[in-house]
């Protein structure tokens, strides 16, 4: 059984393989099976997720829930049940979870009730298990909740999405298009991503922010494709993108703040200026959110709706796959260097 | 018939009587009555309102809907119907309205359908007609909508309200207390207002901001009465108050932005820095709003609920009354000099 540990906090800069330790321990399946207590389940991970939000947890005190150096990194993972004494779980069931990133996890009934582990739907098999960390997991619930319940689009409205080629941004745009016929404008880094976003994801427009030097230039580029401004902005990156969106936001406009990736490798997270006065007379809203309400089923009906959207082709899955647990640090790095399109998946 | 006109735009500073003109015109009631077209109504104003939002409309181009120098100022007013050829209005009906501030107004059926004029409930008479520009008018609907639908309080949450002795702030605090048993903290200018807010309005705590020199001092004063922070902030003033509230806002905290009165006499409206990153992990929301959705009945049920709240004593009416249309500029000034408590009413 293998696991990933953070060696020490990384206050700034891009973390690399040198900051992580892959630890191997002996695991005796037969012995574990014999000793399995009532209500316990053995989970075998098939994929690990690498997500931008983890970067902030690698800074001491930067987050309410920082990682602890030397302990196994807690993150999103998906796999299959290989043993169960729990009525709710059968051998062969596919699961998604937020757990310490370990290839084998034994959870007692009590530990299970305190952990975030959900059953994946019948469309899942060994080949598409990565959906459990993607469209049917954290990024999927982020896109679903952030679009449907935070931004609450009206038919035909205009939405701007940053990191549009990423795991969350792509899904947001596809849902906005397929469910609500929005005019969808994405921003992403590089011409191949522009093509992906337009051709495969079906966005109406895509802006290559690598050709953009300033907030003013971004505003001009947006005005070209949305002369009347934007009704919604789904913010994955912060900085210049957020400032331009605030400038272009129309009456009754909404901004969902999901990520601030431009700052994640910096020591301090930047403040952004806003105009409270403009927010009054335009009746605008800015809302920060986390996916947990939708992922645990407190809001909306993500676990029922999203598999349908996948089956009906309302969303297309895009992934960048890294092979082997040892590649996790590289997969994580790719989130910050633009090395990925869609969901970063580490097959373990 | 008398009316109030703005002489010229006032880009900055405190407007005074020298900026307004009270115009008198001859009005022949009998002749108007004879010439009254079908569906027309004659309204006689009994009170005019003076409200802070008008200040921004006195700056050219500062607002989507600026006042026009030389034309009658459009504002809130209430009074009684003195003639009607319209099935929906009877002589003696009390009304509230947003109309050019003129003591007599004749509206055709078509003009009526395009104007904001609402019928006041049966509790209204000549003595309490000012409720039509207060608790049952614009400030009432602002407090109602901003509290109930924008902030959406949970039982027992902590709310901070600036300009707590003013027309809107006082109502917000009373509703938060009487409907939702919130812990209510107000800020106001001066010890007599502190007493009013605590003794008459029933706030749990009141801070005299005139004793506060900086954002840091305000944060310290708030921490004393709300050591665990605030769940909601109802912003009437902006500036230091808004910045302190952003600092103290708890997980799932909400800010309703209603006014920015600290800036209204300035040429430019200030920006305020916020932390998008904090808004994500604390799932916070900032929302600007106008009362119109509730005042026209598009959201909530203000015109049914608020008279009940008045009858049941859930809100108490506080007013500062100015006599005569000529005193309108002084009433307006008092909003910025702290000369009023509760609603500023000009009896005409």
């Amino acid at each position: 059984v293998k696991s990933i540990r953070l060696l020490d906090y990384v206050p700034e800069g891009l973390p690399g393989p040198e900051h992580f330790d892959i630890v191997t321990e002996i695991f005796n399946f037969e012995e574990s099976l014999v000793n399995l207590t009532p209500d316990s389940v053995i989970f075998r991970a098939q994929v690990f997720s690498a997500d931008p939000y983890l970067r902030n947890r690698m800074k001491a005190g930067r987050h309410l829930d920082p990682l602890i150096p030397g302990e196994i990194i807690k993150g999103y993972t998906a796999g299959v049940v290989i043993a169960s004494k729990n009525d709710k779980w059968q051998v062969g069931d596919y699961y998604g979870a937020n757990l310490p990133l370990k290839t084998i996890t034994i959870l007692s009934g009590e530990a299970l009730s305190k952990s975030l582990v959900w059953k994946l739907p019948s469309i899942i098999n060994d080949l598409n298990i990565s959906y459990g960390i993607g469209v049917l997991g954290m990024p999927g619930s982020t896109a679903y909740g952030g679009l449907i319940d935070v931004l609450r689009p009206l038919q035909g409205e205009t939405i701007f999405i940053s990191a549009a080629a990423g795991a969350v941004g792509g899904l947001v745009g596809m849902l906005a298009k397929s469910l609500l016929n929005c005019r969808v404008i994405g921003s992403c880094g590089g011409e191949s991503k522009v093509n992906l976003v337009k051709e495969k994801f079906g966005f109406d427009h895509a802006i290559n922010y690598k050709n953009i030097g300033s907030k003013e230039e971004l505003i001009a580029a947006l005005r070209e494709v949305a002369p009347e401004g934007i009704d919604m902005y789904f913010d994955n990156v912060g900085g210049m993108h957020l400032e331009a969106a605030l400038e272009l936001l129309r009456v009754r406009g909404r901004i969902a703040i999901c990520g601030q990736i431009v700052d994640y490798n910096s020591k301090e997270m930047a403040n952004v200026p806003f105009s409270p006065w403009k927010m009054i007379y335009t009746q605008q809203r800015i809302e920060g959110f986390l996916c947990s309400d939708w992922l645990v089923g407190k809001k909306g009906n993500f676990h029922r709706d999203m598999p349908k959207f996948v089956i009906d082709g309302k969303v297309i899955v895009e992934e960048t796959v890294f092979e082997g647990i040892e590649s996790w640090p590289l997969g994580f790095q790719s989130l910050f260097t633009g090395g990925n399109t869609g969901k970063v998946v580490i097959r373990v």
Side-chain angles (χ1 to χ4, degrees), chain A:
Chain A
V1 49
K2 288 183 175 188
S3 60
I4 307 171
R5 289 155 207 253
L6 177 69
L7 289 171
D8 199 0
Y9 288 123
V10 187
E12 60 187 319
L14 182 63
E18 68 277 19
H19 295 103
F20 304 97
D21 197 13
I22 312 292
V23 176
T24 307
E25 291 163 289
I26 305 269
F27 172 71
N28 186 322
F29 180 59
E30 279 69 31
E31 195 178 303
S32 299
L33 208 54
V34 170
N35 295 328
L36 202 63
T37 55
D39 296 326
S40 294
V41 179
I42 306 182
F43 297 95
R44 181 164 62 79
Q46 295 172 294
V47 289
F48 285 174
S49 185
D51 299 295
Y53 79 90
L54 281 172
R55 180 64 189 89
N56 284 295
R57 300 201 175 169
M58 295 173 189
K59 300 171 190 169
R62 282 298 314 164
H63 198 281
L64 297 175
D65 184 16
L67 299 174
I68 297 160
E71 292 194 6
I72 302 175
I73 291 175
K74 197 177 178 191
Y76 287 93
T77 171
V80 66
V81 170
I82 54 171
S84 174
K85 287 202 171 180
N86 189 305
D87 286 351
K88 292 178 193 150
W89 290 94
Q90 312 299 323
V91 170
D93 280 352
Y94 290 99
Y95 70 92
N98 186 244
L99 286 171
L101 294 177
K102 211 173 156 185
T103 48
I104 301 282
T105 301
I106 305 176
L107 293 181
S108 68
E110 202 202 335
L112 247 176
S113 71
K114 288 177 184 166
S115 302
L116 177 52
V117 185
W118 64 95
K119 208 167 281 197
L120 291 170
S122 58
I123 57 167
I124 294 300
N125 54 51
D126 283 351
L127 295 175
N128 64 15
I129 181 65
S130 58
Y131 289 16
I133 55 169
V135 67
L136 303 182
M138 187 275 285
S141 64
T142 303
Y144 174 97
L147 180 75
I148 295 173
D149 289 326
V150 179
L151 291 178
R152 302 198 286 271
L154 303 177
Q155 286 282 341
E157 281 190 323
T158 298
I159 184 170
F160 175 46
I161 303 161
S162 53
V168 173
L171 293 175
V172 172
M174 288 185 261
L175 289 175
K177 191 68 172 160
S178 60
L179 300 181
L180 289 139
N181 198 29
C182 289
R183 187 151 57 124
V184 181
I185 303 163
S187 165
C188 50
E191 285 308 316
S192 67
K193 287 185 182 173
V194 162
N195 287 335
L196 172 80
V197 161
K198 288 193 341 193
E199 305 306 326
K200 189 167 175 188
F201 295 172
F203 282 44
D204 297 288
H205 305 283
I207 293 167
N208 177 359
Y209 74 81
K210 299 216 166 170
N211 292 339
I212 304 273
S214 65
K215 178 182 87 169
E216 288 68 28
E217 281 181 41
L218 181 54
I219 290 170
L222 280 165
R223 275 205 212 285
E224 230 171 84
V225 292
E228 288 173 8
I230 57 174
D231 299 296
M232 297 169 282
Y233 172 51
F234 193 102
D235 188 25
N236 290 307
V237 303
M240 163 182 90
H241 281 82
L242 176 53
E243 293 193 50
L246 279 163
E247 188 75 26
L248 281 161
L249 200 64
R250 300 180 64 190
V251 167
R252 295 188 191 263
R254 295 84 73 196
I255 293 180
I257 308 187
C258 174
Q260 296 285 294
I261 203 167
V262 289
D263 284 334
Y264 287 180
N265 288 320
S266 311
K267 222 167 187 165
E268 297 296 329
M269 307 295 280
N271 281 338
V272 170
F274 78 109
S275 167
W277 168 241
K278 186 191 171 197
M279 285 189 72
I280 297 172
Y281 72 78
T282 53
Q283 304 172 69
Q284 292 175 345
R285 174 164 54 90
I286 304 174
E287 191 162 347
F289 75 104
L290 297 171
C291 69
S292 39
D293 283 351
W294 294 273
L295 196 50
V296 304
K298 226 171 100 176
K299 287 184 186 167
N301 210 330
F302 168 70
H303 292 293
R304 182 198 62 188
D305 294 344
M306 204 57 139
K308 275 195 219 161
F309 297 156
V310 173
I311 293 166
D312 297 347
K314 293 197 188 297
V315 291
I316 293 164
V317 171
E318 172 74 16
E319 292 178 344
T320 301
V321 179
F322 292 78
E323 291 294 341
I325 189 170
E326 286 73 16
S327 68
W328 191 89
L330 294 176
F332 185 68
Q333 272 195 331
S334 76
L335 298 165
F336 301 92
T337 57
N340 69 307
T341 58
K343 180 75 196 100
V344 167
V345 173
I346 293 95
R347 289 206 163 263
V348 298

